[in-house]
Amino acid sequence: MIQKIEHIGIAVKNLETSNELFKKLFGNSHYKIEAVESEGVSTSFFMLGETKIELLQATNNESSIAKFIEKKGEGIHHIAYAVNNIEAEMQRLKNEGFELINAQPKDGADNKRICFLHPKTTNGVLVELCEDKK
Ligand code: ZN
């Protein structure tokens, strides 16, 4: 079951500059910076009550974030929903006709197992499912 919005991912060109910008916006600093090498991204996280904002900067030109910024510019990249059983939720959504980008959960930032749904089956919104690693 989808429980809540866990975080919103925002693609940025420069993590350092954007960390300063979002610090001004929220009146609070990011609580972590984490690279996810398999995805070619460097991320930072801000806590806003129960929800987080994840900033993502590409670390190489092949990264999906680099391609996203090239096509659309900086901005909202994905919405991540917390689930308590990612395998079950992936199966349920697959049965409902959604296209999973990865067939198996993979490691994401901030101690999560994640799966993305293709935006062509979700009205243009890249959806991430994430489950806390146990
Ligand atoms: Zn995310």
Side-chain angles (χ1 to χ4, degrees):
M1 193 181 101
I2 288 184
Q3 298 169 308
K4 62 170 186 176
I5 294 178
E6 213 278 338
H7 65 267
I8 295 171
I10 299 175
V12 304
K13 286 180 181 164
N14 183 310
L15 201 59
E16 217 172 297
T17 317
S18 296
N19 278 338
E20 284 306 308
L21 179 78
F22 281 84
K23 181 183 174 181
K24 277 187 214 161
L25 180 66
F26 299 144
N28 233 331
S29 293
H30 58 281
Y31 66 89
K32 72 150 69 174
I33 289 184
E34 187 179 344
V36 184
E37 275 173 32
S38 56
E39 299 291 307
V41 296
S42 185
T43 67
S44 67
F45 283 87
F46 293 79
M47 186 64 82
L48 293 174
E50 283 212 339
T51 306
K52 298 164 189 165
I53 299 294
E54 173 187 33
L55 304 183
L56 304 111
Q57 180 205 296
T59 55
N60 66 59
N61 291 336
E62 294 310 302
S63 153
S64 60
I65 295 300
K67 290 173 185 158
F68 178 88
I69 287 180
E70 197 180 283
K71 252 202 264 176
K72 299 186 174 171
E74 294 179 296
I76 293 182
H77 178 258
H78 65 270
I79 299 180
Y81 299 101
V83 299
N84 47 19
N85 181 339
I86 195 165
E87 279 90 355
E89 202 58 23
M90 286 166 70
Q91 192 56 56
R92 183 183 76 82
L93 293 170
K94 204 173 155 183
N95 293 345
E96 293 285 1
F98 294 98
E99 185 180 324
L100 308 180
I101 292 179
N102 45 299
Q104 297 297 328
K106 57 183 183 177
D107 286 343
D110 210 26
N111 203 37
K112 303 280 191 236
R113 299 168 69 220
I114 65 171
C115 173
F116 285 102
L117 305 188
H118 200 288
K120 76 181 176 201
T121 58
T122 52
N123 279 175
V125 178
L126 178 61
V127 169
E128 176 185 339
L129 306 176
C130 59
E131 179 193 75
D132 283 325
K133 273 191 202 166
K134 275 137 201 160

